[in-house]
Amino acid sequence: MDETDDRTDDAILKHLAGLRAADLPVHGGRTMAYVYDAGLDGLDDLAASAQAAFAGVNGLDMTAFPSVVALENDVVGRAAAVLGGGPRTAGTFTSGGTESCLLAVLTAREHARRTRGVTAPEIVLPVTAHAAFHKAAALFGLTVVSVPVDPETFRVRAEDMTAVIGPRTALVVVSAPSYAHGVLDPVAEVARAAAERGTLCHVDACIGGWYLAHRRLADDTPPPPAFDLAVPGVTSLSVDLHKYGYTPKGASVLLFRDAELRRHGWFAHASWPGYPVVNATLQGTKSAGPLAAAWAVLRRVGADGYTDLSRRVHAATVRLVEGIGRIDGLRVLGAPEASLVAVASADPALDPFVVADEMRLLGWYLQPQPAFGGSPSNVHLTVTAAVADPDRIDELLAHLADAVTRARAYGPTVVDPGLVELAAALDPDALGPDEVALALQLAGVGPGGALPDRMAPVLAVLQALPPRLTERLLPEVISRMYVSAPA
Ligand SMILES: *Cc1c(COP(=O)(O)O)cnc(C)c1O
């Protein structure tokens, strides 16, 4: 905390604005991950007013704050209406995609235990499934059954999923689309197989669901394959409003086939001397701010507005993919069906992470995705409406071509093979503080967690390490960024 004693509103807000200056921009479309900008005038102001008006309202007790129920019914109803829901569809508004996925898994675990007596539950995940499902498995004690994907399309094969569904399977997950490659798993085939075996099937449409559902409403864009609750066998679906709903952060919807399924994930407690508890989500006290903001944005943009935004994002994505195809040395992974593009190198002399560094210097943030499970190292681009004008895409492509030229001149990052060999021999669980410090130093992370300007060399090292070692080291890097005692 800054110890100056200026406690005026101006000084406080100026300090906050100063901190923001070091962040990536959240508007303008140049930050192509993490942030979603509709580029619509006044939308953020409306959302901020709605958020402020409800910031103190507590969703913990919906009997005391009936506004929360009214807003949630509206928001869930709108999601159900565009995502194949019917009269029995039930839903929950959550704080984000991770919470929606966690609750889907928790619900399935409890459903399997209560209805089928499953005590050692498994969850079937394509390797491309979002990390949130691994988090859920770790938190809720499910065993992950991992299924490889087709190395060309990056879609899981339905028969590979079907082959591993067994009596202990609590949940089968498919992505529509996947985060890493923006492709849709074969939802209908997998959901049918799951239903035939009496297990639940979740569609993770967190990132692309809102976009695809509205693109489907436009008659001049290619309709996506069926992916939502209307598909037989699909029992739940997650969709994030804080992605292509362009609402403030903290907004996602988890839809269920019916309330009878949804109830398995709820927590009720009357065995303590305090207030009786019914929690539909993982939070207790829960600000209604994000819900009110989401409701306001949904109302303002409307189905026609989202359809128009989706149409523009689609055209921009097509233009981007075609343009990347013309840049020598780059290639798009798979055939993106939504608005997410993964760009790899077609030339060993060109390192995609160096391209990301060069783009950063040109004012664009592209997200590095390390090699994993048959997917080579690449950079991820999320196309949002703010970058969807043809001239903005052309500017992006021109900078990308420049970045490729510069990255070739810089050369690919190389990792010392001796280092990799050494790392492979380490037992991540047995590493003490000194070994961790040494490993981080070798990876190029400075004291205090300081990251270098160029991330490519660090990413190259992390990518070359066994994932379990990386999982041991990454929290250490982050941990070093925080002070260990209040100043
Ligand atoms: C973003 C995302 C999630 C997790 O959502 P958060 O809102 O970041 O918690 C889950 N699945 C997919 C496919 C996503 O893109």
Side-chain angles (χ1 to χ4, degrees), residues 356-375:
D357 281 341
E358 295 295 344
M359 284 299 275
R360 186 96 183 239
L361 295 169
L362 292 167
W364 297 84
Y365 180 80
L366 276 46
Q367 189 178 47
Q369 300 193 125
F372 184 80
S375 177

Side-chain angles (χ1 to χ4, degrees), residues 11 42 53 81 153 184 225 260 285 299 324 331 372 428:
T153 64
L184 276 73
E260 173 50 26
T285 285
R299 168 66 68 99
I324 290 169
R331 67 190 175 101
F372 184 80

Side-chain angles (χ1 to χ4, degrees), residues 175-179 182-185 204-209 212 337-340:
S175 307
S178 63
Y179 182 85
V183 298
L184 276 73
D185 288 324
D204 180 9
C206 275
I207 193 160
L212 291 175
E337 292 164 280
S339 50
L340 316 162

Side-chain angles (χ1 to χ4, degrees), residues 134-214:
H134 293 268
K135 181 175 184 176
L139 287 174
F140 303 142
L142 289 87
T143 302
V144 172
V145 178
S146 208
V147 180
V149 297
D150 181 297
E152 295 297 319
T153 64
F154 300 99
R155 305 166 77 221
V156 80
R157 295 186 195 89
E159 58 269 31
D160 294 344
M161 293 288 279
T162 309
V164 295
I165 300 175
R168 293 185 355 198
T169 307
L171 188 64
V172 175
V173 175
V174 280
S175 307
S178 63
Y179 182 85
H181 306 101
V183 298
L184 276 73
D185 288 324
V187 174
E189 290 91 325
V190 174
R192 191 190 317 121
E196 280 167 8
R197 284 159 184 76
T199 188
L200 301 179
C201 175
H202 179 81
V203 174
D204 180 9
C206 275
I207 193 160
W210 204 253
Y211 163 72
L212 291 175
H214 288 91

Side-chain angles (χ1 to χ4, degrees), residues 132-375:
F133 293 98
H134 293 268
K135 181 175 184 176
L139 287 174
F140 303 142
L142 289 87
T143 302
V144 172
V145 178
S146 208
V147 180
V149 297
D150 181 297
E152 295 297 319
T153 64
F154 300 99
R155 305 166 77 221
V156 80
R157 295 186 195 89
E159 58 269 31
D160 294 344
M161 293 288 279
T162 309
V164 295
I165 300 175
R168 293 185 355 198
T169 307
L171 188 64
V172 175
V173 175
V174 280
S175 307
S178 63
Y179 182 85
H181 306 101
V183 298
L184 276 73
D185 288 324
V187 174
E189 290 91 325
V190 174
R192 191 190 317 121
E196 280 167 8
R197 284 159 184 76
T199 188
L200 301 179
C201 175
H202 179 81
V203 174
D204 180 9
C206 275
I207 193 160
W210 204 253
Y211 163 72
L212 291 175
H214 288 91
R215 196 181 87 192
R216 184 163 60 186
L217 298 177
D219 42 23
D220 51 356
T221 57
F227 69 95
D228 62 20
L229 273 180
V231 175
V234 172
T235 51
S236 59
L237 178 148
S238 49
V239 59
D240 293 348
L241 301 176
H242 65 200
K243 289 177 180 163
Y244 283 94
Y246 300 105
T247 75
K249 302 271 185 262
S252 174
V253 171
L254 174 59
L255 296 174
F256 291 98
R257 182 184 57 198
D258 54 37
E260 173 50 26
L261 175 58
R262 181 182 61 179
R263 81 173 173 91
H264 292 290
W266 285 20
F267 177 78
H269 193 72
S271 311
W272 75 308
Y275 52 88
V277 170
V278 182
N279 289 161
T281 65
L282 299 172
Q283 290 172 289
T285 285
K286 175 164 75 172
S287 171
L291 172 62
W295 183 91
V297 169
L298 260 52
R299 168 66 68 99
R300 162 71 75 86
V301 178
D304 53 341
Y306 283 119
T307 304
D308 192 48
L309 290 170
S310 294
R311 193 183 274 125
R312 292 179 46 217
V313 165
H314 170 71
T317 310
V318 170
R319 194 178 184 93
L320 178 65
V321 169
E322 283 171 4
I324 290 169
R326 288 192 299 271
I327 300 177
D328 188 36
L330 295 184
R331 67 190 175 101
V332 170
L333 294 179
E337 292 164 280
S339 50
L340 316 162
V341 183
V343 184
S345 167
D347 172 355
L350 181 65
D351 183 336
F353 296 160
V354 178
V355 174
D357 281 341
E358 295 295 344
M359 284 299 275
R360 186 96 183 239
L361 295 169
L362 292 167
W364 297 84
Y365 180 80
L366 276 46
Q367 189 178 47
Q369 300 193 125
F372 184 80
S375 177

